[in-house]
Amino acid sequence: MVERLLSRFPGAPRPVVENAVLAAERSFTGARVRGYLPVLVERAARTTVQLMGFKETRETRDTAGGPPGDRLPPGHVSIETILNAHIGFGD
């Protein structure tokens, strides 16, 4: 997750992104529903880094970051994008 966010925010120092992720993880301590936590943690960390004034690249969430082979073919949508749209976390 940290690597993916660093690729989306190339100007953000690693400690800033790592701290944003840790703070987001702590904010969900005790959450009863845990299935969506990675998506929610990444979204919260991303928002924190944005609010700190770091500019996000224009890559889409569907193709940014992740290991090679983790990229989606053109015309496909990631489950993260679907979940974000479903629970109201649009860009």
Side-chain angles (χ1 to χ4, degrees):
M1 181 182 311
V2 170
E3 295 303 322
R4 188 169 38 251
L5 288 168
L6 284 169
S7 73
R8 292 183 66 89
F9 296 92
R14 177 176 287 277
V16 167
V17 174
E18 288 172 343
N19 287 332
V21 170
L22 289 173
E25 287 172 343
R26 280 192 299 267
S27 74
F28 291 105
T29 299
R32 292 177 15 193
V33 178
R34 310 219 32 100
Y36 297 109
L37 284 185
V39 172
L40 297 174
V41 166
E42 186 167 348
R43 178 65 182 181
R46 182 175 166 230
T47 299
T48 298
V49 174
Q50 287 173 328
L51 290 173
M52 294 177 78
F54 293 101
K55 300 294 180 202
E56 188 171 8
T57 62
R58 287 291 180 213
E59 292 180 351
T60 66
R61 179 174 291 125
D62 294 327
T63 59
D70 192 34
R71 303 189 193 291
L72 295 172
H76 288 75
V77 179
S78 72
I79 188 66
E80 181 181 356
T81 300
I82 293 167
L83 290 173
N84 284 341
H86 181 68
I87 51 181
F89 284 145
D91 287 335

